[in-house]
Amino acid sequence: MQWQTDLAVSFVKRAQVETYVQKTLLNDALTILQKLHNAHRLDHEKQGWISNRENALLGIADGDVEAEE
């Protein structure tokens, strides 16, 4: 599980720099986190990351290009 959360974090960090693929990277991070959550392998703190990613994606849809950690 650790490598999967590390990968999700890496996608988010890349999204902060590579804004031209930001939506794809955030979607990929969200997919990983949701799969871990559905398998009951995500601790309470990291479950909050799901809503953070969803909010970041909504911000992109509204024209805001920032990805928050």
Side-chain angles (χ1 to χ4, degrees), residues 1-54:
M1 177 191 81
Q2 183 63 43
W3 70 269
Q4 292 168 311
T5 55
D6 289 346
L7 184 59
V9 169
S10 294
F11 286 163
V12 171
K13 289 183 183 279
R14 279 186 58 201
Q16 293 171 336
V17 177
E18 299 176 25
T19 56
Y20 58 94
V21 289
Q22 186 176 48
K23 189 171 184 177
T24 300
L25 291 166
L26 291 175
N27 272 322
D28 290 348
L30 181 59
T31 298
I32 291 168
L33 294 171
Q34 288 172 331
K35 286 181 181 180
L36 290 171
H37 179 68
N38 291 339
H40 305 286
R41 300 191 65 202
L42 206 57
D43 65 38
H44 183 69
E45 176 191 347
K46 291 178 180 76
Q47 289 175 19
W49 294 0
I50 293 172
S51 61
N52 290 345
R53 298 297 69 83
E54 291 170 337

